[in-house]
Structures are given as C-alpha cells and as structure tokens.
C-alpha cells in the first residue's frame, strides 16, 4: 500500500537511530519501531471522504476540529490551531509540534492540505478528495501517532493546511506568521495525492 510506504519514509527520516546502527541502513530499518496501523490510515480516508465536498472555503473549520481531536489522542504532541483571516471569515490550520533534542528554533515541516476541488475547472461537482488530499492527511496523522513521544533530533511541525486548492491561503498565512516571528524553516515536505496512478 503506497500510503503505508509514505508513512514509513516519514518516520525513517525523523526517528533518532542509536549510534550502533547509524551506519547500517538495513539494521536501521529493522530497528525502527514502526507500529504503522493500516486500520488507522483507512479510518482517516473514510472519515475525510464521508463529508462529501471539502472544497476551498467549505467545511474547513469542521475538518480542522476533527484533525485537532485526532491529534490530541496522542501524548507527546503540542497541538494547536494556527488561525488566519480571509475576508470576514477566520480559518484554521492545524499544527502538531514535536520538539527535537536540538531545538534551535528552526523547524522541519511536513504538511498536507485538507480541502478538495472538483475535477477539471468546473466550480461545481463532487469533490470528496479521497486522494487529493485525504491520503496526505492520513499519512501525517499516522506519522503523528507513531512519532508522538519519540526522541528526534530536529523539531518538527506536522501542519494540516486549509484552503490550499485556490490560492494556497492557509500555507501562505502560516509561512507569513513564521517569518514575522523570526522562525527559520530548515525544510518542508509536502505530501499530496500520493495514491494517484502513475
């Protein structure tokens, strides 16, 4: 299952491996405490798709509240809303922070958006977003569950963005706020539509 593979990649990149196995990637893989749950991944995909359209501006705060509740089930995560305004409406990104052992103030970001968009250019139509992007959301939620409370070197933020499909509103607001606070981004990996056929 491709989603499971992406969860493994996320965890493998972040988990602190002991010095005795650091030079042996085969032993690293064997010792990494995965505990990945396909049941949990499928639950996320079904939940996300069950709401029907999550098109930009639609059901965004409802989905944010769901993601917040799921993340709060895990001890060892600092979970909060990053709020921003667009017009007269307030929207929410959801952030799960894992503090690294070497917390320099910089951050490594793994992100996924949770809105969807109808196929093609039509403004109307079905957009349950099972692939684009419930798959990315499922990977981040499962990564958060498995990584919660684990020792990692660099601080990580798993960020779920609202209103991405039309103008990247959530991610732009988030980066603008990070910059205003003087936070440095060490890198970002965006997980989007990972179950699409080749």
């Amino acid at each position: 299952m491709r989603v499971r593979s992406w969860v493994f990649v996320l965890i493998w990149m972040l988990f602190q491996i002991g010095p005795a196995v650091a030079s042996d990637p085969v032993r690293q893989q064997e010792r990494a405490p995965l505990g990945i749950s396909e049941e949990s991944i499928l639950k996320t995909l079904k939940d996300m798709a069950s709401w029907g359209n999550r098109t930009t501006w639609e059901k965004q705060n409802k989905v944010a509240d769901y993601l917040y509740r799921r993340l709060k089930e895990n001890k060892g995560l600092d979970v909060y809303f990053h709020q921003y305004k667009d017009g007269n409406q307030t929207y929410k990104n959801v952030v799960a922070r894992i503090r690294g052992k070497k917390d320099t103030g910089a951050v490594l970001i793994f992100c996924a958006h949770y809105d969807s968009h109808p196929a093609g250019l039509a403004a109307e139509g079905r957009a349950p977003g099972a692939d684009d992007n419930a798959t990315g959301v499922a990977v981040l939620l499962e990564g958060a569950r498995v990584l919660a409370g684990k020792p990692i070197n660099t601080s990580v933020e798993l960020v779920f963005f609202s209103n991405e499909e039309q103008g990247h509103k959530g991610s732009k607001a988030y980066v603008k706020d990070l910059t205003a606070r003087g936070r440095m981004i060490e890198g970002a990996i965006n997980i989007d539509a990972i179950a699409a056929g080749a």
Side-chain angles (χ1 to χ4, degrees):
M1 182 178 193
R2 287 183 67 186
V3 174
R4 185 183 174 118
S5 299
W6 274 96
V7 175
F8 173 77
V9 168
L10 170 66
I11 294 166
W12 183 79
M13 290 177 68
L14 297 178
F15 195 80
Q16 172 62 36
I17 303 299
V21 296
S23 61
D24 185 347
V26 174
R27 289 185 64 203
Q28 284 181 359
Q29 186 172 356
E30 289 172 358
R31 288 190 51 178
L34 296 179
I36 297 169
S37 167
E38 289 185 13
E39 182 179 328
S40 176
I41 292 169
L42 289 172
K43 171 180 171 41
T44 301
L45 294 174
K46 288 176 182 175
D47 287 350
M48 296 288 287
S50 72
W51 291 320
N53 289 14
R54 301 185 313 278
T55 51
T56 309
W57 319 121
E58 183 180 348
K59 300 178 186 169
Q60 299 300 285
N61 289 336
K62 179 178 180 179
V63 179
D65 292 341
Y66 164 82
L67 295 172
Y68 182 88
R69 287 192 305 272
R70 289 285 305 275
L71 289 164
K72 288 296 280 185
E73 293 171 1
N74 307 296
K75 294 181 180 177
L77 295 178
D78 179 18
V79 184
Y80 59 94
F81 290 121
H82 166 260
Q83 298 187 351
Y84 64 96
K85 279 194 166 285
D86 191 88
N88 295 323
Q89 181 69 42
T90 298
Y91 293 99
K92 299 182 278 195
N93 297 317
V94 187
V95 183
R97 182 172 172 80
I98 307 171
R99 187 172 297 278
K101 293 188 290 186
K102 302 172 184 176
D103 191 4
T104 62
V107 64
L108 176 61
I109 297 171
F110 287 83
C111 55
H113 71 91
Y114 57 81
D115 61 327
S116 61
H117 194 274
L121 299 177
E124 298 178 1
R126 293 186 67 244
D131 182 27
D132 188 8
N133 187 33
T135 54
V137 168
V139 164
L140 283 194
L141 277 180
E142 185 63 4
R145 187 187 69 78
V146 175
L147 287 170
K150 301 290 192 302
I152 58 174
N153 280 330
T154 302
S155 293
V156 171
E157 290 187 359
L158 307 175
V159 189
F160 301 80
F161 290 126
S162 57
N163 299 317
E164 181 268 354
E165 291 284 5
Q166 298 180 60
H168 303 90
K169 295 288 188 174
S171 56
K172 286 179 177 177
Y174 177 76
V175 171
K176 182 179 178 181
D177 286 356
L178 279 185
T179 304
R181 288 185 282 141
R183 300 272 308 282
M184 186 177 80
I185 300 172
E186 284 196 357
I189 297 178
N190 181 38
I191 305 172
D192 198 348
I194 63 174

